[in-house]
């Protein structure tokens, strides 16, 4: 996949600041899950609270509602104050038929809501060193293995 192949509106907007690291986010996630021994939930449900990662089996699990009215700046501030801001880059897994991309953390934090919305509020994010993980479920909860808020 090349940059010209990207159709996601947010990725097109920041195209000069991203690097495509895999053509297929789903396949990339499957390989990462195996490599890192990430516990997964095998489901076919369309339940909005379902996640791909079985967060209850991870140490240090945190969750908060991401889409509260008027909380955009509060969430941005929480991202800035969290350990996430110390990471140079993030890996964003956009899902079905979308690439996995490397995005500078400061760009993600500045426009976090647009990145989430452009994924239709279903995205898995890793720090480049693979130590930090986040997943947004379709019920607008952000699940992570570190405290944000």
């Amino acid at each position: 996949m090349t940059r010209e192949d990207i159709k996601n509106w947010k990725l097109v907007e920041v195209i000069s600041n991203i690097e495509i690291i895999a053509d297929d986010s789903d396949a990339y996630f499957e390989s990462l899950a195996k490599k890192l021994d990430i516990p997964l939930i095998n489901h076919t449900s369309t339940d909005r609270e379902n996640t791909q990662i079985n967060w209850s089996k991870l140490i240090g699990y945190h969750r908060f509602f991401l889409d509260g009215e008027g909380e955009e700046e509060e969430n941005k501030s929480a991202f800035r104050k969290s350990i996430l801001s110390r990471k140079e880059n993030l890996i964003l897994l956009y899902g079905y038929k979308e690439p996995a991309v490397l995005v500078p953390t400061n760009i993600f934090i500045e426009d976090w809501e647009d990145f989430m919305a452009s994924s239709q509020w279903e995205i898995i994010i890793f720090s480049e060193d693979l130590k930090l993980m986040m997943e947004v479920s379709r019920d607008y909860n952000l699940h992570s293995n570190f405290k944000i808020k």
Side-chain angles (χ1 to χ4, degrees):
M1 178 175 279
T2 65
R3 289 179 175 197
E4 292 77 30
D5 296 324
I6 292 180
K7 304 294 184 233
N8 178 284
W9 63 270
K10 184 59 184 175
L11 296 181
V12 168
E13 185 180 293
V14 296
I15 198 78
S16 63
N17 296 304
I18 67 171
E19 177 185 339
I20 299 168
I21 59 173
D23 291 348
D24 183 338
S25 281
D26 288 339
Y28 186 78
F29 176 66
E30 285 179 29
S31 70
L32 275 183
K34 285 179 185 169
K35 175 183 173 183
L36 301 174
D37 199 28
I38 297 170
L40 302 178
I41 296 174
N42 295 317
H43 64 77
T44 56
S45 169
T46 57
D47 189 337
R48 297 183 66 78
E49 66 186 32
N50 282 339
T51 58
Q52 292 184 55
I53 297 171
N54 189 341
W55 291 97
S56 65
K57 292 189 175 184
L58 293 176
I59 296 171
Y61 169 51
H62 298 273
R63 176 178 83 180
F64 71 94
F65 185 70
L66 189 60
D67 198 33
E69 187 66 36
E71 293 183 357
E72 295 83 3
E73 289 301 316
E74 180 182 328
N75 291 340
K76 185 186 294 187
S77 177
F79 283 128
R80 283 185 183 135
K81 292 176 183 176
S82 76
I83 192 172
L84 184 71
S85 67
R86 296 186 213 143
K87 302 296 182 176
E88 184 176 352
N89 295 301
L90 300 176
I91 299 168
L92 279 60
L93 307 178
Y94 266 80
Y96 183 70
K97 292 191 176 186
E98 295 281 359
V101 295
L102 194 66
V103 175
T105 303
N106 62 326
I107 289 173
F108 171 81
I109 291 173
E110 192 58 37
D111 280 336
W112 71 268
E113 190 172 27
D114 282 354
F115 282 105
M116 303 295 188
S118 74
S119 73
Q120 303 202 15
W121 299 91
E122 286 186 88
I123 192 168
I124 297 174
I125 301 169
F126 288 89
S127 57
E128 187 176 19
D129 63 6
L130 306 175
K131 303 284 185 205
L132 303 179
M133 296 185 294
M134 299 183 287
E135 180 178 9
V136 178
S137 49
R138 289 183 300 150
D139 62 354
Y140 305 103
N141 277 291
L142 179 68
H143 309 262
S144 63
N145 67 342
F146 63 101
K147 184 168 176 56
I148 299 169
K149 189 173 171 183

